[in-house]
Amino acid sequence: MSVGIVIVSHSARLAEGVAELAEQMSMGEVTIAVAGGTDDGSIGTSIDKVIAALQKASNPEGTLVLLDLGSAVMVTEMALEQLDPIERERVIISTAPLVEGAVLAAVEASAGSTLAEVAEAANNGHEMPKGQQA
Amino acid sequence: MSVGIVIVSHSARLAEGVAELAEQMSMGEVTIAVAGGTDDGSIGTSIDKVIAALQKASNPEGTLVLLDLGSAVMVTEMALEQLDPIERERVIISTAPLVEGAVLAAVEASAGSTLAEVAEAANNGHEMPKGQQA
Amino acid sequence: MPVTHEDILHWLQRSAQVLHENSAFLTELDSAIGDADHGINMDRGFTAVSTKIAGVSDADIGALLKTVGSTLVSTVGGASGPLYGTAFLRAGMATSGKQVLETPELIAMFDAALEGIKARGKAQAGEKTMLDAFIPAVDAAQQAAKDQLPVPQLLQSMAAAAEVGMNATIEMIATKGRASYLGERSVGHQDPGATSCWLILQALSDTVSPEIPHEE
Amino acid sequence: MPVTHEDILHWLQRSAQVLHENSAFLTELDSAIGDADHGINMDRGFTAVSTKIAGVSDADIGALLKTVGSTLVSTVGGASGPLYGTAFLRAGMATSGKQVLETPELIAMFDAALEGIKARGKAQAGEKTMLDAFIPAVDAAQQAAKDQLPVPQLLQSMAAAAEVGMNATIEMIATKGRASYLGERSVGHQDPGATSCWLILQALSDTVSPEIPHEE
Ligand SMILES: Nc1ncnc2c1ncn2[C@@H]1O[C@H](COP(=O)(O)OP(=O)(O)O)[C@@H](O)[C@H]1O
Ligand SMILES: Nc1ncnc2c1ncn2[C@@H]1O[C@H](COP(=O)(O)OP(=O)(O)O)[C@@H](O)[C@H]1O
Ligand SMILES: [Mg+2]
Ligand SMILES: [Mg+2]
Ligand SMILES: [Mg+2]
Ligand SMILES: [Mg+2]
């Protein structure tokens, strides 16, 4: 089993797009669950979607949660409080940039790395070369 | 007129999701054009879509292009080479993280800031507070 | 004259109504420094609350407030969901099993709600958030309790302090939430969350105040 | 025996065929260190090239190669699109107006293509990319020219050098493109772009080599 990934976004399309990009790099070896948009499909977050995504991605190796904006932290934390403590212990909320972090996390997780390693890989998303220095 | 924004992504859904999130913060005051996916709808980039998005977002104040992954730089540069030099001069390819950078760029552009200011605001996306330190 | 379970029900229904009426206004405030949804979010949340509590007959205030909290968390969809949700959940814990709230219970309830918002949002006074209405309101309630004012006056002074605090957000620079993305440009705009906070506290005061007749 | 416009047409059609046949293989290589689409990308690009050049009768090699370049840029959809696209565009510029290519024109064409890939991708030798097949191939062509080998042998030595270079990518750490996301884990896998580069150069050698009969 490899570390699971959860994408929390205010936009359903954004969450799905990030997952499809990350999945290209992990070849189905990593569970990437999404929680995008509100229950009624508008822009925002849904605790029920976050809980469902955490459950879907849950596994003994742990789960890395990536977020689009800072305000998604609160709903994610509330969702975590609803998991049983053993589950909650093995979840890290990433501070990485969403897209770049998700792609690097998917690569790292597919290699069978630990949660700490996957979280660190996601943070390398800040240094992903783009633009002129690529 | 405010600085335009172009979102280049390998995923159409991702590009649209980023635009919808950023548009929430700029209230229609900023043109946010997307170039997501290949011409046949698969995951990848399309020079024609990038050119069309650059043209749509083109304006005298300039345009900031945000990318999902480093490999999108090349297609964006080739698209820029097809614009006439005056247009090309006022485009910056951002090194910012896509989602976080787009949201901050949209906020900055909607305030009527210069291209340099919008590009700088996008780069603050690296420091967007998330996770525990939020 | 304590606050009864019925008062709380009336307050919640009145809040739902007031937030519905002010939905466009709150959204307009949020459009200046946020993403133009605070009115929509609060209206959606309190409409769900209103439906949820319509059939509640059990007189446990704590249980009622916990239901409100979890409903808001589930339905609001914005930052204000976990924040108000936590506030009501904590308020419910602080009033667990209570059928009426005297001044000490009210103070304990507001303290718990305030601590909940602080813990959830990790913000403090002066960051241009709902806390800038709620902190002075809770301070005013404590002062009123010390001065042994009756409950209606205590709630009136809370609402008045919330309003002053809300107006003070206009001059503040946002350093939490979406408005912080605007940096100094957030100055000159009233915080939507502080405004909804005042509306909710004003609704409570109006509900229990004998001077103002209830409409429900 | 120079390379003619017809040879170039045959080469491009053969490349399209070879890339089509090796599409699954290239994609499998890309699945190990990339996003599993290099075969799909190259097949899509060269299928479009094949259609586009089917009706070309004008004998200008430069114009033909430029068409190939812009077609690849428009259709490949991956990093290899701008890279091969630029290579063919630059090759077309270097052979502008030419109807046949003697050794000096071939060398100029390959040099231009190589500079194009370097300029576009800002990579250099040893970064586990198509350059690690193409740089030694161009070196081999230059050596063959210096040794005054005939064109078929020159192209054979290019293809052979590309193959050696392609195999050498297995031990390299990727520092450009998606494979760089894997860091040291990219070691042990053959680079898909170096492989398609070898296939294309082998197709050129096979096309002009008198020993091997054409199928088209
Ligand atoms: N960390 C925080 N602590 C306290 N209040 C906050 C915090 N973040 C945001 N708020 C409040 O939430 C309000 C915005 O709510 P809303 O518009 O519903 O959410 P969102 O910003 O997700 O769209 C702000 O006006 C502010 O009062
Ligand atoms: N900057 C670069 N310079 C040269 N070649 C590169 C560069 N980036 C990627 N490549 C080549 O492109 C190949 C991948 O092509 P492809 O799979 O079609 O694109 P993508 O990575 O966008 O999916 C790699 O195997 C490598 O040879
Ligand atoms: Mg809002
Ligand atoms: Mg919102
Ligand atoms: Mg690929
Ligand atoms: Mg690709």
Side-chain angles (χ1 to χ4, degrees):
Chain A
M1 284 261 13
S2 52
V3 168
I5 296 176
V6 168
I7 308 294
V8 179
S9 170
H10 287 73
S11 156
R13 289 190 285 182
L14 176 42
E16 284 157 18
V18 173
E20 97 179 330
L21 209 64
E23 263 154 16
Q24 270 209 312
M25 299 298 289
S26 59
M27 308 286 142
E29 284 162 44
V30 179
T31 304
I32 303 178
V34 299
T38 63
D39 290 337
D40 68 4
S42 52
I43 303 180
T45 53
S46 153
I47 189 166
D48 290 340
K49 287 190 182 185
V50 177
I51 292 170
L54 285 168
Q55 282 166 345
K56 193 176 160 199
S58 167
N59 75 81
E61 302 304 320
T63 306
L64 188 70
V65 183
L66 292 121
L67 315 166
D68 58 358
L69 299 176
S71 52
V73 174
M74 293 188 281
V75 71
T76 304
E77 285 178 347
M78 290 201 87
L80 287 178
E81 287 163 17
Q82 312 233 343
L83 300 186
D84 69 71
I86 309 148
E87 294 273 315
R88 200 189 310 157
E89 282 300 298
R90 55 193 192 208
V91 176
I92 291 179
I93 303 179
S94 173
T95 58
L98 178 59
V99 176
E100 300 78 1
V103 169
L104 295 181
V107 169
E108 189 75 26
S110 69
S113 302
T114 64
L115 178 57
E117 287 164 341
V118 174
E120 199 192 317
N123 277 329
N124 291 334
H126 285 297
E127 279 86 49
M128 184 179 273
K130 286 183 189 176
Q132 273 58 35
Q133 75 274 54
Chain B
M1 285 261 14
S2 52
V3 169
I5 295 175
V6 168
I7 309 294
V8 179
S9 170
H10 288 72
S11 156
R13 288 188 288 180
L14 177 42
E16 284 157 18
V18 174
E20 97 180 329
L21 209 63
E23 263 156 14
Q24 270 209 313
M25 299 297 289
S26 59
M27 306 286 141
E29 282 162 45
V30 180
T31 302
I32 303 177
V34 299
T38 63
D39 289 339
D40 67 4
S42 51
I43 303 183
T45 53
S46 153
I47 191 167
D48 290 340
K49 286 191 180 184
V50 178
I51 292 170
L54 286 168
Q55 282 166 343
K56 192 175 161 200
S58 166
N59 75 82
E61 303 304 321
T63 306
L64 188 70
V65 183
L66 291 120
L67 316 165
D68 57 357
L69 299 175
S71 51
V73 174
M74 293 188 282
V75 70
T76 303
E77 284 177 349
M78 291 203 87
L80 288 177
E81 286 162 18
Q82 311 233 345
L83 300 186
D84 70 72
I86 310 148
E87 294 273 316
R88 201 188 311 155
E89 282 298 298
R90 52 190 193 210
V91 175
I92 291 180
I93 302 179
S94 173
T95 59
L98 178 59
V99 176
E100 299 79 2
V103 168
L104 295 181
V107 169
E108 190 75 26
S110 68
S113 303
T114 64
L115 178 57
E117 287 164 341
V118 173
E120 199 193 316
N123 277 328
N124 291 335
H126 285 297
E127 278 87 48
M128 185 179 275
K130 286 184 189 176
Q132 274 58 35
Q133 74 275 53
Chain C
M1 200 196 78
V3 172
T4 66
H5 180 265
E6 219 200 324
D7 289 333
I8 300 285
L9 276 179
H10 283 158
W11 165 44
L12 294 167
Q13 296 292 9
R14 185 189 281 260
S15 295
Q17 190 190 314
V18 167
L19 290 166
H20 180 71
E21 285 161 7
N22 285 277
S23 170
F25 173 56
L26 292 171
T27 289
E28 196 191 307
L29 291 177
D30 198 27
S31 88
I33 56 170
D35 57 350
D37 64 3
H38 187 59
I40 298 165
N41 290 345
M42 294 302 289
D43 189 19
R44 179 169 49 211
F46 271 85
T47 299
V49 165
S50 172
T51 310
K52 195 88 170 204
I53 64 174
V56 169
S57 53
D58 170 14
D60 180 350
I61 292 176
L64 175 60
L65 293 177
K66 279 186 234 164
T67 302
V68 173
S70 61
T71 305
L72 292 177
V73 174
S74 290
T75 55
V76 168
S80 50
L83 290 163
Y84 280 121
T86 303
F88 277 95
L89 284 168
R90 297 281 181 99
M93 286 184 232
T95 55
S96 189
K98 297 272 184 278
Q99 324 237 327
V100 294
L101 306 175
E102 300 284 355
T103 296
E105 285 95 40
L106 279 172
I107 296 294
M109 177 183 84
F110 288 125
D111 271 346
L114 177 57
E115 288 315 307
I117 296 177
K118 284 182 177 170
R120 184 59 64 205
K122 293 163 185 93
Q124 50 195 40
E127 298 202 83
K128 197 179 183 106
T129 71
M130 55 177 69
L131 284 176
D132 294 307
F134 201 44
I135 291 172
V138 176
D139 286 348
Q142 260 146 1
Q143 186 59 49
K146 229 157 101 188
D147 298 345
Q148 302 193 308
L149 297 187
V151 165
Q153 275 86 326
L154 179 151
L155 296 176
Q156 269 168 27
S157 72
M158 274 193 95
E163 190 172 7
V164 172
M166 166 191 91
N167 286 321
T169 64
I170 298 175
E171 292 311 315
M172 293 178 184
I173 298 179
T175 49
K176 279 288 179 322
R178 281 172 191 269
S180 66
Y181 303 163
L182 278 78
E184 299 193 351
R185 276 192 287 265
S186 60
V187 173
H189 301 282
Q190 183 172 319
D191 181 60
T195 309
S196 57
C197 181
W198 166 66
L199 288 172
I200 292 167
L201 291 174
Q202 186 65 54
L204 178 57
S205 172
D206 291 348
T207 301
V208 303
S209 202
E211 292 93 327
I212 303 155
H214 297 179
E215 269 122 275
E216 289 97 334
Chain D
M1 196 198 77
V3 173
T4 66
H5 180 264
E6 218 199 326
D7 290 333
I8 299 284
L9 276 178
H10 284 158
W11 166 43
L12 293 167
Q13 296 293 8
R14 184 188 281 261
S15 295
Q17 191 190 313
V18 166
L19 290 167
H20 180 71
E21 286 161 8
N22 286 277
S23 171
F25 173 56
L26 292 172
T27 289
E28 196 191 306
L29 292 177
D30 199 27
S31 89
I33 56 170
D35 56 349
D37 64 2
H38 187 59
I40 299 165
N41 290 345
M42 294 303 289
D43 189 20
R44 179 169 50 211
F46 271 85
T47 300
V49 164
S50 172
T51 310
K52 194 89 170 202
I53 63 174
V56 169
S57 53
D58 169 14
D60 179 351
I61 293 176
L64 175 60
L65 294 177
K66 279 186 231 164
T67 301
V68 173
S70 61
T71 305
L72 292 177
V73 174
S74 290
T75 56
V76 169
S80 49
L83 290 163
Y84 280 119
T86 303
F88 278 94
L89 284 167
R90 297 280 182 98
M93 287 184 233
T95 55
S96 191
K98 297 273 183 279
Q99 324 235 327
V100 295
L101 306 175
E102 302 282 357
T103 295
E105 284 96 37
L106 279 172
I107 296 292
M109 178 183 84
F110 289 125
D111 272 345
L114 178 56
E115 289 314 309
I117 295 177
K118 284 183 178 170
R120 184 59 64 206
K122 292 162 184 94
Q124 51 194 41
E127 299 202 84
K128 198 180 182 101
T129 71
M130 54 177 69
L131 284 176
D132 293 306
F134 201 44
I135 291 172
V138 177
D139 285 349
Q142 261 147 0
Q143 187 59 50
K146 229 156 100 190
D147 297 346
Q148 302 192 308
L149 299 187
V151 166
Q153 275 87 325
L154 180 150
L155 296 176
Q156 268 168 27
S157 74
M158 273 194 97
E163 190 173 6
V164 171
M166 166 190 89
N167 287 321
T169 64
I170 297 175
E171 292 311 313
M172 293 178 183
I173 297 178
T175 48
K176 280 287 181 321
R178 281 174 191 269
S180 67
Y181 303 164
L182 277 78
E184 300 194 350
R185 277 192 286 264
S186 61
V187 173
H189 302 281
Q190 182 173 319
D191 181 60
T195 309
S196 58
C197 181
W198 166 65
L199 289 171
I200 293 166
L201 291 175
Q202 187 65 55
L204 178 56
S205 173
D206 292 348
T207 301
V208 303
S209 204
E211 292 93 325
I212 303 158
H214 297 183
E215 269 121 274
E216 287 95 339

